[in-house]
Amino acid sequence: MQHKTLLARPLARRGRRTLGAAAAALALAALAACSAPAASSSGGDSGEIILGRSMDVSTLDPERSLCDSCQIYNAAVYDTLLAATTADGDLQPLLAQTWEANDDNTEFTFHLDPAAVFSDGSPVEAKDVKWSFERLANLKGDPSYFMAGVKTVAAPDAATVVVTTQAPNSAFFNVVTAGYTGIINSDVAIENGATADKDAAKTDKAEQWFLKNSAGAGQYVLTSYEEGSQLVLSENENYWGDDKPNFKKVVIKDVPDASTQLQQLQQGDIDVAMQLSFDTLDQVEGDESLTSEVVPTYNYVYLGISPGAADAPKALDDQRVREALRKAIDYDTVIDATVAGKGSKQASAIPNGFEGSDGLEVPDYDPEGAKALLAEAGVSNLKLEATYPTFTIYGVNFSTMFQSIQQSMKKAGIELTLNPLDYTAWGTKFGAGELPLTAVYFAPDHPDAVQYFQYFSLAKDASWLGYSGMTENTKETKGVAKALTQTGDARTATYSELGQDMIDDAIILPVVNPQVILASGSNVSGNNYHVTRNIDLRQLKFTD
Amino acid sequence: MLRYTLKRLAIMPLLLWGIVTIAFFLSHSISSNPLASIVGTRNLGNADVVAAATQRWGLDKSLLQQYLIYIGNLLHGDLGTSFRTKEPVASDLSSRLPATLELALFALIIAVVLGIVLGVVAARNNGRVLDGGLRTLALVGSSTPVFWVALLLLFVFYARLGIAAGPGRLSSRVDPPPYVTGMYTLDSLLAGNLPLFTDALSHLILPSIVMALPLLGTIIRMVRAQVLEEQSSDFVRTARAKGMTPSQVMNRHVVKNAITPVITVVGISVGMLIMGAVMVETIFTWNGIGTYAVEASRSLDFPAITGVCLVGGVIFLVSNLVTDIAYAIIDPRVRL
């Protein structure tokens, strides 16, 4: 016992000292907590703008990337040959000062702006364009389809690029407005492990370098990227264009939760909140320190039907049954339930506002009409399983959407069971074409509607021809080929015809074309939704 | 004790190999294909893109081949490259672990200091209103869902009152200190930047309180019960009979003995705090290992999943060893 007492004293003192130190630390912490957090200096003063969004960056190598956040990054850092305007996607010069196509739209010539330089001051030359396009194709990464159909890329001189395609492609000028086709400083990239060779998919080693560095001719350069935290861009001091960057620094903070985005916007911790949910709209509009606007987008969520899936009910082979499903969706209720009514119905896979969408008839909820079609097809007690990923995209929660659809289909005599899966499990089945009925989303890559036929139609090589398990619709194959030989009104008419063909296929049933809240601090102007950039940083400005 | 410690350290690589092997095969046993996360939704049906990604990430090899390659690389300190972040897993872990360690450490300090103090106060006021209040606090702390408390605190103290720092490890428009340990409070002090230290500290308050609450409740209840038990012990009666004042008895005998079991709880909790920080990190946008683990699981990022399991294993093994040693140091009856 005596031994214990002797030992206990120093230990007890040490314990008191430890506790004392810890208590002091706690007191200090409490002091820090009680003192108001460091007041955010106005972004206008510092030239630093902070955007809050749920980041979905897949990579910062522009030729491997494919995501909404990548669109912002690529456009800011890697200037493209041409640019599309925010409002209508009209073509504007960027690295290419002038451009022209041959008569049959198989040869596209770009004349580079002699003033264009990369961020290291070296000139943007035709060899860089050739190298970038070839790498984009040969990497076989996610955005490699932008180069589909390109036969050769030639650089006859330092300022001229000639692209030839295997078949007419009047959409090509639109394609090269997408940030994924941004031009990379080939010398710098090659030095750091990049290659454009045929075997680039196996031999290119530059992806990790691109996560920490950039080599573009855009307004900004990459300063740092911390996955799950933030992406920091700095002004490109060598920017060659007349429109100099509006900010010294652009920070895109990863704020996954929409309500946290609002809180941070209200507290001045971010200047722009990109993904607010519509249930907070009253709060946003009622806050005098904020500026907000609700605008339409080209994004949409759709139901995709795969009659060829192994477990698909035989009834789905019948077009009338698929048409009945279209009529059995109460679109207005779904739009109310998912985006508080801030969305539109959409006729076909061509989003509202894109070339060819005008004049196509938007669907209406018609349970009686659905019943009649099912009866005509000799189908009764139709039972379907909807398998979908459990996430929210463009404000649309897929579970909420399907619960609403389930109710509306019930009135048409269709029994829908819901099978929500996590994204990877869903993606595995979707990629394998195993889902008779699912929901997916789509945002445009570039301002040309041809992308919708190349992805959603039943034309040869279209993605959904594979997913749906249907046979090729040769009329659509010919229609797409024909459209790509055309320009102007003739092409618009062909696009519209193809849109109607896709409606008649009844494979893709667009459900909601959501709007978006553009919310920012009141000292920010020019907040926007851009067709290929998601948000165009060139238009954003501080007013103070 | 040295022999015991060396023996425990010597067996650790074997245990870690076991953890890695189980984690590797368990994660690969799921029927989903990680390519669904590697390749974008748009290209899941694109045979060229899928084939290139399969080859690039070594998913065309047999499971055994993948395992042998992984173990071979691991022996050279290479934890592989994350499918999701495209960065080396070791680099991902080293950037995220300090954030979680810092948070867990503060939560631990809050829970232990407040837990012991409040537990003693409750015991000394046994049966009184204060005791009832503290017991209620302990119960609420242990049983309230972490995400709810986190959202509530953020809403009230950050969004409404504006007196607490918001999500993130630092305020907006504040740059992190130069990297030394990766813990912003420590690194800012090392850089001699006191305003930055205060900023980092202020951002730790709400998440560490939320993280500490369940453990705090446990410690309050444990200390209270132990103090009450010790107070009726023979040696306490003897000490009183020898003429020691009640506060001397409490400080020198009762509290010391009462807090010994806390060491066990703390030892077990360190690992759980670190590896269970997911919810707090998500709500407070704290880019730590918890959110990394969740994202890795969601995307079937095999190298990241295995890497997280390895780090978790090290943390649990080390914290258990430290607990055992601490126990032996404090309580001479324990022989190692």
Side-chain angles (χ1 to χ4, degrees):
Chain A
M1 184 61 94
Q2 192 182 17
H3 173 72
K4 190 178 176 184
T5 313
L6 282 171
L7 230 172
R9 284 186 176 174
L11 269 178
R13 277 198 298 276
R14 194 155 58 226
R16 278 203 297 277
R17 276 204 298 273
T18 311
L19 280 179
L26 270 184
L28 193 61
L31 195 68
C34 290
S35 63
S40 299
S41 62
S42 163
D45 298 339
S46 62
E48 173 185 345
I49 192 161
I50 304 179
L51 283 61
R53 64 177 280 115
S54 176
M55 299 270 271
D56 58 343
V57 172
S58 54
T59 178
L60 295 184
D61 182 338
E63 296 179 333
R64 288 188 186 276
S65 63
L66 195 66
C67 67
D68 286 358
S69 301
C70 309
Q71 288 187 326
I72 305 171
Y73 174 75
N74 292 345
V77 174
Y78 295 93
D79 270 2
T80 43
L81 290 178
L82 303 176
T85 55
T86 305
D88 47 21
D90 278 355
L91 293 176
Q92 301 287 321
L94 199 53
L95 290 176
Q97 210 169 26
T98 57
W99 59 95
E100 71 257 356
N102 65 355
D103 288 343
D104 62 356
N105 284 300
T106 54
E107 187 177 289
F108 306 89
T109 305
F110 300 89
H111 302 282
L112 301 181
D113 191 321
V117 292
F118 288 111
S119 56
D120 65 355
S122 60
V124 176
E125 294 177 333
K127 73 175 170 65
D128 298 300
V129 180
K130 175 178 162 61
W131 184 89
S132 297
F133 284 1
E134 287 177 351
R135 180 172 183 263
L136 180 58
N138 291 333
L139 276 179
K140 296 190 174 71
D142 267 314
S144 61
Y145 62 85
F146 283 88
M147 289 293 112
V150 170
K151 192 159 72 179
T152 60
V153 184
D157 62 61
T160 310
V161 180
V162 181
V163 178
T164 54
T165 54
Q166 287 155 353
N169 185 1
S170 59
F172 192 73
F173 289 133
N174 277 329
V175 170
V176 296
T177 64
Y180 307 106
T181 66
I183 306 307
I184 297 173
N185 185 334
S186 59
D187 294 336
V188 173
I190 290 167
E191 262 175 43
N192 291 284
T195 176
D197 293 349
K198 283 278 179 205
D199 61 352
K202 290 179 186 170
T203 56
D204 187 276
K205 305 288 179 206
E207 186 169 23
Q208 284 178 16
W209 183 83
F210 277 108
L211 286 167
K212 293 184 174 60
N213 305 275
S214 58
Q219 285 192 325
Y220 297 92
V221 294
L222 175 65
T223 300
S224 64
Y225 171 57
E226 191 185 342
E227 192 275 328
S229 181
Q230 61 182 22
L231 174 68
V232 183
L233 308 177
S234 307
E235 177 187 20
N236 173 6
E237 289 172 356
N238 287 323
Y239 189 63
W240 59 277
D242 293 334
D243 50 342
K244 299 296 178 198
N246 291 330
F247 310 104
K248 296 265 177 225
K249 194 169 164 186
V250 176
V251 179
I252 307 176
K253 279 182 76 168
D254 191 2
V255 188
D257 181 54
S259 58
T260 309
Q261 281 187 24
L262 177 60
Q263 288 175 355
Q264 294 208 314
L265 183 65
Q266 289 177 320
Q267 291 297 322
D269 285 341
I270 57 176
D271 299 304
V272 177
M274 295 190 67
Q275 294 142 321
L276 296 184
S277 60
F278 284 105
D279 53 12
T280 63
L281 188 58
D282 286 346
Q283 253 181 291
V284 177
E285 290 178 338
D287 191 329
E288 287 179 0
S289 67
L290 305 181
T291 301
S292 65
E293 189 186 356
V294 177
V295 299
T297 70
Y298 300 117
N299 306 329
Y300 61 94
V301 173
Y302 63 94
L303 300 194
I305 303 171
S306 296
D311 295 336
K314 197 76 188 139
L316 287 180
D317 286 339
D318 192 322
Q319 190 271 350
R320 290 168 297 185
V321 173
R322 303 196 298 271
E323 187 57 38
L325 292 179
R326 187 201 308 278
K327 289 180 184 293
I329 299 169
D330 184 349
Y331 298 92
D332 293 327
T333 303
V334 174
I335 292 170
D336 278 345
T338 53
V339 289
K342 302 290 182 185
S344 305
K345 292 191 280 188
Q346 188 175 307
S348 75
I350 313 171
N352 300 323
F354 257 72
E355 187 182 1
S357 63
D358 282 352
L360 297 175
E361 193 181 346
V362 291
D364 278 321
Y365 182 42
D366 179 8
E368 294 309 316
K371 279 182 186 169
L373 275 172
L374 289 174
E376 197 182 315
V379 173
S380 57
N381 300 322
L382 180 60
K383 291 180 181 174
L384 282 172
E385 183 178 74
T387 304
Y388 56 91
T390 52
F391 59 25
T392 299
I393 187 92
Y394 310 130
V396 179
N397 180 286
F398 278 24
S399 291
T400 307
M401 178 180 79
F402 266 115
Q403 282 158 13
S404 180
I405 292 173
Q406 187 182 41
Q407 292 305 313
S408 62
M409 285 194 169
K410 204 172 183 179
K411 289 183 187 160
I414 300 166
E415 190 183 325
L416 189 66
T417 53
L418 306 185
N419 180 27
L421 293 177
D422 75 86
Y423 178 82
T424 312
W426 170 83
T428 304
K429 288 176 179 287
F430 177 65
E434 292 175 1
L435 303 177
L437 179 64
T438 188
V440 204
Y441 59 94
F442 201 92
D445 292 327
H446 54 73
D448 200 295
V450 75
Q451 63 193 303
Y452 299 103
F453 314 122
Q454 289 169 338
Y455 191 76
F456 290 112
S457 74
L458 299 182
K460 185 171 176 264
D461 296 332
S463 302
W464 263 92
L465 174 61
Y467 293 137
S468 66
M470 298 281 284
T471 50
E472 179 191 342
N473 182 330
T474 50
K475 179 174 177 253
E476 289 176 19
T477 304
K478 287 176 188 163
V480 176
K482 179 180 155 193
L484 289 174
T485 64
Q486 298 172 314
T487 53
D489 291 344
R491 189 174 74 160
T492 306
T494 309
Y495 277 0
S496 198
E497 203 177 311
L498 280 164
Q500 185 58 52
D501 288 342
M502 288 196 294
I503 293 174
D504 294 342
D505 290 337
I507 292 295
I508 303 298
L509 311 180
V511 179
V512 51
N513 164 218
Q515 298 171 353
V516 65
I517 304 174
L518 303 178
S520 63
S522 55
N523 63 338
V524 175
S525 69
N527 197 2
N528 63 88
Y529 163 78
H530 189 276
V531 60
T532 60
R533 298 176 179 173
N534 229 302
I535 184 170
D536 186 7
L537 297 178
R538 291 169 190 255
Q539 296 180 51
L540 275 183
K541 275 183 187 162
F542 281 120
T543 53
D544 54 20
Chain B
M1 190 188 297
L2 182 66
R3 202 171 159 193
Y4 172 82
T5 308
L6 289 174
K7 203 168 141 191
R8 288 276 295 266
L9 287 173
I11 207 170
M12 246 181 222
L14 197 66
L15 290 171
L16 291 175
W17 171 72
I19 289 168
V20 164
T21 303
I22 292 170
F24 185 92
F25 285 105
L26 258 186
S27 58
H28 281 76
S29 67
I30 294 168
S31 60
S32 301
N33 189 340
L35 282 170
S37 295
I38 296 170
V39 173
T41 312
R42 192 81 66 93
N43 285 306
L44 287 170
N46 185 327
D48 285 347
V49 174
V50 170
T54 306
Q55 195 269 336
R56 182 172 181 227
W57 295 100
L59 296 167
D60 51 343
K61 296 184 171 60
S62 73
L63 190 56
L64 186 63
Q65 278 177 307
Q66 290 180 50
Y67 173 71
L68 292 175
I69 291 170
Y70 183 82
I71 293 293
N73 290 338
L74 190 60
L75 291 173
H76 293 93
D78 178 3
L79 299 183
T81 302
S82 163
F83 296 166
R84 194 174 62 84
T85 68
K86 317 294 189 299
E87 293 273 22
V89 172
S91 154
D92 281 349
L93 293 173
S94 65
S95 69
R96 284 165 176 80
L97 191 58
T100 305
L101 282 177
E102 187 175 39
L103 185 58
L105 190 67
F106 270 79
L108 206 60
I109 292 172
I110 291 172
V112 171
V113 175
L114 279 183
I116 292 173
V117 171
L118 296 180
V120 172
V121 169
R124 291 184 79 157
N125 292 279
N126 186 21
R128 295 182 193 157
V129 176
L130 186 59
D131 178 36
L134 288 171
R135 283 164 66 191
T136 308
L137 173 71
L139 190 68
V140 170
S142 306
S143 55
T144 312
V146 163
F147 73 90
W148 185 80
V149 180
L151 290 172
L152 185 74
L153 292 185
L154 259 183
F155 179 74
V156 174
F157 294 104
Y158 169 64
R160 281 284 160 262
L161 300 177
I163 58 170
R169 295 177 70 192
L170 291 172
S171 294
S172 294
R173 302 183 179 91
V174 171
D175 292 325
Y179 186 95
V180 180
T181 64
M183 297 189 195
Y184 287 173
T185 45
L186 206 54
D187 288 355
S188 54
L189 282 180
L190 291 172
N193 190 338
L194 209 57
L196 188 57
F197 169 75
T198 313
D199 191 75
L201 195 62
S202 69
H203 279 79
L204 271 166
I205 300 301
L206 291 187
S208 53
I209 286 175
V210 173
M211 210 169 170
L213 275 180
L215 183 58
L216 175 67
T218 307
I219 294 177
I220 290 176
R221 281 184 296 163
M222 178 178 278
V223 171
R224 178 184 174 277
Q226 287 291 320
V227 168
L228 290 176
E229 194 181 319
E230 296 293 337
Q231 275 177 331
S232 58
S233 305
D234 290 344
F235 73 90
V236 171
R237 264 201 302 277
T238 308
R240 282 184 189 142
K242 281 180 165 180
M244 291 178 84
T245 64
S247 58
Q248 281 176 322
V249 173
M250 180 61 79
N251 293 336
R252 292 185 189 174
H253 296 292
V254 176
V255 173
K256 179 189 166 275
N257 283 307
I259 65 170
T260 310
V262 172
I263 293 167
T264 314
V265 176
V266 169
I268 296 167
S269 303
V270 169
M272 290 170 72
L273 274 177
I274 293 169
M275 300 313 291
V278 179
M279 198 61 84
V280 177
E281 287 184 4
T282 304
I283 293 170
F284 287 94
T285 348
W286 201 270
N287 200 21
I289 203 163
T291 46
Y292 184 71
V294 169
E295 292 303 326
S297 307
R298 272 190 194 154
S299 51
L300 277 190
D301 185 351
F302 297 142
I305 292 170
T306 317
V308 168
C309 289
L310 183 67
V311 168
V314 171
I315 290 169
F316 272 96
L317 291 174
V318 170
S319 59
N320 281 353
L321 178 61
V322 170
T323 306
D324 289 346
I325 294 171
Y327 224 94
I329 291 172
I330 288 175
D331 190 344
R333 289 169 300 183
V334 177
R335 292 273 179 270
L336 295 179

